[in-house]
Amino acid sequence: MTTQTTLVTGFLGSGKTTTLRHLLSQKPADEKWAILVNEFGEIGVDGALLADSGALLKEIPSGCMCCVNGLPLQIGLNTLLTRNRPDRLLIEPTGLGHPAQILALLASDTYHNWLQLQATLCLLDARQLSQPRYRDNENFRSQLAAADIIVANKQDTYACADREALAAWWRANANGRALFSVSHGQLPLALLDSPRINLRPLSPGAGHQHQHAAPPAGMAGLRLPDNQGWRRALNQGQGYHACGWIFDGATRFDTLGLLEWVRLAPVERIKGVLRVSEGTLRVNRQGHYLHTETLQPPPADSRIELIHPQAADWNHLQSGLLKLRLNYRTYI
Ligand SMILES: Nc1nc2c(ncn2[C@@H]2O[C@H](COP(=O)(O)OP(=O)(O)O)[C@@H](O)[C@H]2O)c(=O)[nH]1
Ligand SMILES: [Mg+2]
């Protein structure tokens, strides 16, 4: 039995995790699915967002999957495939990465007997086509170029100009591929069995040369807040900076204060899963659009990550966040 494998790409905030959640909601009860997530930041929020999805979850924090260059990615992949032998594997790489190397790895002889690589989906927020900051971004472009199927997500938010920009982009870039227009990643399950069509080898290209901060000593350590009950982690590369915090399971936050902090933080992207009095608060902000949700049970710990094209005043943001702990006085 080979594992049906789908790579779900798309730029920062385009809706990859949302799409995975929707696909997972359609998982036949008798099938075993696995998800492999690689995030730009160190903290690993997508894993927490997908934790209750009924699939095996493997997280590879820190990075650009293309440069995870092998080892953490291959170990994660090998463990999933050989030990768990899932029927289906969905892979969400960071939105700040080039898919060429992961595609080459998945299509390589090594995995020939283990997985069947299906069509790569690339999510596109068509509103970004008219913004040079995205449109001219090497990763944004290469993700779209490498895909077999393009999914214009967030349809509900498009203005006429966005639809026109999408139509114009599609006239120049269709290359025999299929285009789906959806909201909230609501794709049919059958799409995952579409074959690849884009078989030409891809190279990361000149724009791919970049540097990563030195890998943190022991990624697993980030799961454990220090003896103050929290810690923070920074990452940078691909023209973006990330700062994330993780808090122990005992820490609870003031819900309204936290929502205000998330709304006002001067950064492009925020995602978090935090413990509040009501249980779990999920926050997910892309630009000015903020999605929140409260649910039960409370999370095992609290984690939140901010991503921005420049380094923000992380210390200032941090002191605001620390003040929102309901029980913070016990730490000072
Ligand atoms: N309005 C709207 N928001 C969406 C849609 N799809 C995703 N979102 C929101 O966009 C943000 C980023 O989504 P996410 O799936 O985390 O993006 P990722 O970074 O690509 O994994 C979240 O706040 C989602 O709730 C959509 O179709 N319409
Ligand atoms: Mg995601």
Side-chain angles (χ1 to χ4, degrees), residues 77-89:
L77 193 57
N78 295 356
T79 313
L80 271 182
L81 292 173
T82 58
R83 212 175 282 167
N84 304 113
R85 311 201 73 167
D87 298 296
R88 206 179 274 289
L89 170 64

Side-chain angles (χ1 to χ4, degrees), residues 6 8 14-28 33-37 45-57 88-92 121 123 153 183-189 192 269 271-273 280-284 291-297:
T6 303
V8 179
S14 54
K16 298 179 290 298
T17 305
T18 306
T19 302
L20 254 54
R21 287 186 67 83
H22 181 74
L23 292 166
L24 282 154
S25 72
Q26 302 171 69
K27 179 180 92 62
W33 287 23
I35 316 170
L36 190 68
V37 186
V45 177
D46 281 350
L49 290 169
L50 290 161
D52 60 351
S53 61
L56 294 158
L57 181 68
R88 206 179 274 289
L89 170 64
L90 303 176
I91 303 178
E92 177 182 343
L121 314 182
L123 297 181
N153 187 37
S183 292
H184 301 287
Q186 293 185 345
L187 291 170
L189 191 51
L192 296 180
R269 181 96 177 89
K271 50 191 175 177
V273 176
T280 295
L281 175 68
R282 287 181 178 160
V283 293
N284 200 335
H291 178 80
T292 66
E293 202 179 347
T294 39
L295 58 152
Q296 286 291 348

Side-chain angles (χ1 to χ4, degrees), residues 15-283:
K16 298 179 290 298
T17 305
T18 306
T19 302
L20 254 54
R21 287 186 67 83
H22 181 74
L23 292 166
L24 282 154
S25 72
Q26 302 171 69
K27 179 180 92 62
D30 58 345
E31 287 189 12
K32 184 160 41 158
W33 287 23
I35 316 170
L36 190 68
V37 186
N38 170 235
E39 275 188 78
F40 178 66
E42 313 279 352
I43 292 290
V45 177
D46 281 350
L49 290 169
L50 290 161
D52 60 351
S53 61
L56 294 158
L57 181 68
K58 188 94 200 157
E59 291 171 83
I60 309 196
S62 180
C64 158
M65 207 181 251
C66 55
C67 302
V68 174
N69 68 26
L71 222 49
L73 171 63
Q74 282 191 45
I75 293 170
L77 193 57
N78 295 356
T79 313
L80 271 182
L81 292 173
T82 58
R83 212 175 282 167
N84 304 113
R85 311 201 73 167
D87 298 296
R88 206 179 274 289
L89 170 64
L90 303 176
I91 303 178
E92 177 182 343
T94 158
L96 295 170
H98 193 297
Q101 290 188 0
I102 168 104
L103 278 171
L105 178 73
L106 294 170
S108 70
D109 288 346
T110 318
Y111 294 108
H112 182 73
N113 292 326
W114 292 98
L115 63 80
Q116 166 87 35
L117 183 59
Q118 301 289 17
T120 291
L121 314 182
C122 182
L123 297 181
L124 165 66
D125 178 346
R127 293 174 300 175
Q128 297 182 337
L129 287 170
S130 39
Q131 298 176 50
R133 208 157 80 63
Y134 297 107
R135 195 186 53 216
D136 301 338
N137 181 289
E138 151 87 14
N139 288 318
F140 180 87
R141 297 166 72 92
S142 61
Q143 289 167 9
L144 289 164
D148 301 300
I149 295 174
I150 304 292
V151 179
N153 187 37
K154 306 200 180 186
Q155 262 234 84
D156 55 309
T157 64
Y158 294 178
C160 268
D162 302 317
R163 281 181 234 286
E164 282 164 15
L166 177 62
W169 180 85
W170 188 240
R171 278 195 294 279
N173 294 280
N175 294 330
R177 300 180 290 181
L179 172 69
F180 285 76
S181 289
V182 298
S183 292
H184 301 287
Q186 293 185 345
L187 291 170
L189 191 51
L191 202 63
L192 296 180
D193 293 324
S194 310
R196 297 177 72 197
I197 53 166
N198 205 345
L199 295 172
R200 72 203 150 84
L202 291 152
S203 79
H208 185 67
Q209 285 150 15
H210 59 259
Q211 305 216 315
H212 292 282
M219 284 188 256
L222 290 165
R223 300 197 160 276
L224 301 172
D226 63 17
N227 56 12
Q228 285 195 303
W230 65 276
R231 78 170 46 178
R232 103 172 170 188
L234 295 162
N235 191 20
Q236 115 181 50
Q238 307 285 305
Y240 277 84
H241 295 249
C243 182
W245 293 267
I246 179 166
F247 296 84
D248 65 16
T251 306
R252 276 183 304 132
F253 288 86
D254 168 41
T255 313
L256 290 179
L258 190 61
L259 288 173
E260 197 64 357
W261 184 90
V262 167
R263 198 173 65 79
L264 295 175
V267 296
E268 181 175 323
R269 181 96 177 89
I270 299 184
K271 50 191 175 177
V273 176
L274 300 112
R275 181 166 182 194
V276 292
S277 303
E278 296 86 348
T280 295
L281 175 68
R282 287 181 178 160
V283 293

